[in-house]
Amino acid sequence: IARKLAHEIKNPLTPIQLSLDRIKDKLKNDENTLQHFTIINNQIHEISKLVNGFSDFARMPKPVFKKNNIIQIINSSIDTYRLNYERVNFVLNNMTNTNDIICDSSQINRALTNIFKNAIESIEERFEKGGVNGEIIVNISNDNTYYLITIIDNGIGFKEAKNFKQDDPYFTTKKDGSGLGLSIVSKIIHEHNGQVFYDNREDNEGAFITITLQILNEENINN
């Protein structure tokens, strides 16, 4: 139902955009009218982003569990951003005594890249306010059953950390965000029988996200 709804909403956006562009060309000398077209165009863009995000959330497949290396997955997620954000320093503190995990590596990678993306955007917003260079620290440790992964950034933090609902697919602390990124993270981690927690750092210099993931799940292996 969600996929169909997203598709039906997105369909009319293309002809609306095309018609808008044609009208805009004919009235390009009317500056006052063009300002209204800019507003309409921006709103079409925002609707399109929301629909795409909702569609991605709705079509996520069931995880396929296989034996993987959790450190390789984390490093792969970090490498997605490391080279493109020179002002953000990534630190991985590996305190584990094993790297094996039964998981869907592509989905865990997607969850982590969503988290890193949010952290970078938070850091960049702090840059705009004159903040120092960014830092994202990833700490991973384990006991006999779970990995504990904590991702810490020095961005602006969650504006309403004590009140938000992390499973609400529309929760967001960003002015242009849909909130679907955090919901996708929660969905992936919960389907891996893990948990995810969000909060601000005590020094108010950023935020942290903590994830627990089972190391080995015999039920998933057997399936």
Side-chain angles (χ1 to χ4, degrees), residues 88-105:
V88 178
N89 181 40
F90 286 87
V91 178
L92 172 58
N93 296 317
N94 180 8
M95 297 167 280
T96 62
N97 54 27
T98 180
N99 294 335
D100 293 338
I101 186 171
I102 301 298
C103 70
D104 185 315
S105 60

Side-chain angles (χ1 to χ4, degrees), residues 1 13 17 23 41 53 71 78 85 93 105 109 111 113 120 127-128 144 156 171-172 191 196 198 206 218 221:
I1 293 173
L13 290 180
Q17 183 71 67
I23 297 171
N41 189 67
I71 302 302
I78 290 174
Y85 294 90
N93 296 317
S105 60
N109 182 281
T113 53
I120 288 170
F127 285 162
E128 294 174 1
N144 292 331
I156 61 170
F171 166 76
T172 181
E191 288 189 346
V196 56
Y198 310 87
E218 296 298 333
I221 296 174

Side-chain angles (χ1 to χ4, degrees), residues 194-210:
Q195 292 182 296
V196 56
F197 307 93
Y198 310 87
D199 209 342
N200 285 327
R201 292 167 57 175
E202 291 184 0
D203 56 10
N204 292 321
E205 295 293 330
F208 69 88
I209 293 179
T210 300

Side-chain angles (χ1 to χ4, degrees), residues 118-137:
N118 284 347
I120 288 170
E121 289 175 351
S122 176
I123 290 169
E124 288 184 325
E125 191 168 340
R126 189 172 178 196
F127 285 162
E128 294 174 1
K129 299 178 180 179
V132 296
N133 284 355
E135 184 172 61
I136 297 175
I137 301 171

Side-chain angles (χ1 to χ4, degrees), residues 20-73:
L20 183 67
D21 291 341
R22 289 173 183 170
I23 297 171
K24 186 177 178 180
D25 286 339
K26 292 182 179 181
L27 299 174
K28 57 186 176 184
N29 295 324
D30 187 339
E31 185 174 341
N32 185 54
T33 302
L34 288 179
Q35 291 177 354
H36 292 288
F37 279 123
T38 299
I39 294 172
I40 297 171
N41 189 67
N42 289 341
Q43 292 305 308
I44 291 174
H45 180 65
E46 291 302 316
I47 293 171
S48 182
K49 282 201 308 183
L50 179 60
V51 170
N52 286 336
F54 188 62
S55 181
D56 287 343
F57 178 78
R59 81 162 67 95
M60 282 177 57
K62 288 290 184 182
V64 177
F65 293 92
K66 295 181 181 179
K67 188 175 181 179
N68 290 286
N69 184 310
I70 187 62
I71 302 302
Q72 288 181 358
I73 295 173

